[in-house]
Amino acid sequence: MVSYMSWDLFLTRAINGLAGETSWLDWTFLTLCEPDTLWLPGILLGSYWAARWPREALVAAPVMTALIGLVDFIGARIKHLVARPRPCFSIADLHRLQACGGHFSFPSNHALNTATAAAFLQVLYPRSGWVSWPIVALVGLARVYIGAHYVTDVLGGWIIGGCCGTGAAWLLLQWPPFRQQVLLPSHSSST
């Protein structure tokens, strides 16, 4: 347990130690941590999805949206069960780029939500990963950089979110009416 905690603290300090050194990097990571930042790409992606595969999007988009809401709620409950203080409350010399926020840290809901969406989309559209997973990685890194989370908070969020997104998309593909839409010849030849 001591080894795990020391590596987590070491990596958290190393990443957060870069904060305040470069103003454009600070701005980039603070922007990535704003909840409204991902709305525009989400709306653009949703519009493309609805235009390209309207029957799939009509079913899958609400499922993914509800799933993200559910895992966000579950993540908040896990935070209260684990009750791990955020690094901004427990590390005296941490670089804080914004207010500390809530008291509890594990898991990172930003990491949880983005990984859920990326995994869900990648199961349905395997080539989507080259766009979605770098965004997931940058958002997770940003949460540690600004001092809001430990590295393991982000890793935990990625694991939980990845499993939930993968599982939900797999279940959706098992549903015969949706599977028939996905396996239509026009869809398979256009991707």
Side-chain angles (χ1 to χ4, degrees), residues 35 39 64-80 86 106-117 143 149 157 160-161 164-165:
W39 278 110
M64 184 177 76
T65 302
L67 177 64
I68 292 169
L70 178 63
V71 298
D72 189 68
F73 175 79
I74 291 169
R77 303 295 71 80
I78 294 170
K79 275 184 168 77
H80 289 282
R86 287 186 184 265
F106 182 88
S108 163
N109 274 33
H110 282 76
L112 179 70
N113 296 339
T114 56
T116 298
R143 299 304 290 164
H149 287 285
I160 296 166
C164 290

Side-chain angles (χ1 to χ4, degrees), residues 25-38 142 146:
L25 198 57
D26 291 352
W27 177 84
T28 300
F29 284 138
L30 281 168
T31 301
L32 281 170
C33 289
E34 288 296 319
D36 295 338
T37 299
L38 296 178
I146 69 165

Side-chain angles (χ1 to χ4, degrees), residues 48-101:
Y48 174 75
W49 192 6
R52 181 90 165 134
W53 300 289
R55 292 186 309 191
E56 283 179 40
L58 186 63
V59 174
V63 169
M64 184 177 76
T65 302
L67 177 64
I68 292 169
L70 178 63
V71 298
D72 189 68
F73 175 79
I74 291 169
R77 303 295 71 80
I78 294 170
K79 275 184 168 77
H80 289 282
L81 287 173
V82 174
R84 180 184 195 187
R86 287 186 184 265
C88 48
F89 289 122
S90 57
I91 301 174
D93 60 343
L94 191 80
H95 297 102
R96 287 175 45 180
L97 296 182
Q98 69 178 25
C100 201

Side-chain angles (χ1 to χ4, degrees), residues 165-184:
T166 298
W170 181 85
L171 286 172
L172 186 59
L173 287 172
Q174 303 313 302
W175 185 43
F178 186 79
R179 185 175 25 186
Q180 288 169 355
Q181 289 177 11
V182 171
L183 298 177
L184 287 174

